[in-house]
Amino acid sequence: MTKERKGRVEGKMAFVTGGAQGLGKASAIMLAREGAKVTLADINEKGAQAVADEINANYPGMAFAAGLDVTREDHWKDALAEANKAMGGINVLFNNAGIGGGTTVEDTDFETFKKVQAVDVDSVFLGCKYAIPYMVPHAPGSIINTSSIAGLIAGHNMAAYNAAKAGVWLLSKSVALHCAKRGYRIRSNSIHPTFIDTPILDGMARGMSKEELVRKLAKQVPLGVVGDPDDVAYCVLYLASDESKFITGSEIKIDGGISAM
């Protein structure tokens, strides 16, 4: 007699920022496929709703959408309250929203620097601060924060982005230790992708075609390819699941071997 298969995150309730496209979209789809309810939050609320509709077409009642400017404290409070009500709780937080911007420390204007920090780091602080109280009653829980390989390895022309993603890396560890000390049964980890084939690459093309850019970037990766969104989504799925119940305060590199060089 065969047993009914359960998904790897059956019964989880996940809040995903930057859910309208890219890594957020891919991860939300995978989480829903494996049994989790998901709320896709994005400043592009129509885009988030479109992804939620796509998920619900295959997994009815599993996805919800919320508008969220991740730099605004009031937006976080409202979106999390809405998600908590819609899903019946929250026990997975995927802080994924982020932007690039700026070049060298001399050539980056202060406004750009502050904007990158606000979207990439302030959002993680606000998400953790305001999601944890919702997560505690529904533990075990998992916080997954998108850093970057650029949060571990610097570039001469990435001052703002390096600073922001490095901040996400150590903030994730601080949150992990805080939750452990309080006995919350909530884990916190950071993920560190390199080049992934998402819409963010469009802004890097600078006169060349997307295909040319992908070939150029692939040459920098030991495995010789640019990553696929699902390469990151599978990592998010693992960290969201109880399979990773003894992993906290860690960083997982999804970089095709770049950090090994």
Side-chain angles (χ1 to χ4, degrees):
M1 183 177 178
T2 59
K3 293 183 179 180
E4 183 181 351
R5 177 187 176 276
K6 286 190 175 182
R8 292 171 63 187
V9 285
E10 195 80 27
K12 299 291 187 184
M13 299 161 287
F15 188 89
V16 179
T17 70
Q21 62 181 9
L23 303 183
K25 176 181 177 179
S27 298
I29 290 172
M30 191 171 290
L31 289 168
R33 188 187 75 196
E34 291 291 332
K37 291 181 180 179
V38 294
T39 294
L40 299 106
D42 204 291
I43 197 168
N44 175 10
E45 188 172 1
K46 288 184 178 179
Q49 185 63 59
V51 177
D53 291 343
E54 180 182 337
I55 291 172
N56 286 326
N58 295 298
Y59 313 103
M62 297 298 282
F64 310 88
L68 173 64
D69 178 343
V70 294
T71 68
R72 290 187 54 178
E73 189 173 16
D74 57 333
H75 277 215
W76 269 105
K77 292 178 180 179
D78 292 344
L80 287 168
E82 183 181 334
N84 183 67
K85 182 178 180 180
M87 296 190 295
I90 300 169
N91 50 24
V92 176
L93 171 65
F94 182 26
N95 276 314
N96 168 70
I99 60 170
T103 55
T104 71
V105 66
E106 288 189 283
D107 295 330
T108 301
D109 63 84
F110 191 34
E111 289 305 311
T112 297
F113 185 86
K114 288 189 291 184
K115 181 178 180 181
V116 174
Q117 308 314 303
V119 176
D120 291 3
V121 188
D122 294 1
S123 65
V124 175
F125 168 79
L126 292 169
C128 294
K129 178 177 177 64
Y130 289 111
I132 286 172
Y134 287 108
M135 297 174 71
V136 170
H138 301 283
S142 177
I143 295 170
I144 306 152
N145 298 323
T146 299
S147 179
S148 168
I149 203 62
L152 303 174
I153 300 172
H156 74 281
N157 59 346
M158 304 175 71
Y161 193 68
N162 283 151
K165 291 303 186 179
V168 172
W169 173 44
L170 279 188
L171 176 57
S172 301
K173 292 178 181 292
S174 178
V175 171
L177 295 175
H178 164 74
C179 289
K181 190 172 181 64
R182 291 282 176 93
Y184 285 162
R185 293 195 304 138
I186 297 171
R187 298 174 294 106
S188 172
N189 297 285
S190 57
I191 59 173
H192 299 257
T194 187
F195 313 118
I196 307 293
D197 191 0
T198 67
I200 199 170
L201 292 188
D202 296 336
M204 298 171 60
R206 297 178 183 174
M208 68 180 77
S209 69
K210 176 77 170 291
E211 293 73 20
E212 288 175 314
L213 175 64
V214 168
R215 284 196 297 270
K216 179 180 179 182
L217 295 176
K219 291 179 181 178
Q220 303 177 45
V221 181
L223 287 181
V225 294
V226 166
D228 182 85
D230 276 354
D231 294 328
V232 175
Y234 277 113
C235 185
V236 172
L237 175 64
Y238 171 64
L239 290 173
S241 77
D242 293 337
E243 297 164 12
S244 56
K245 63 185 177 63
F246 200 53
I247 298 177
T248 194
S250 294
E251 58 285 323
I252 298 183
K253 304 163 187 172
I254 314 168
D255 70 348
I258 283 181
S259 59
M261 293 191 296

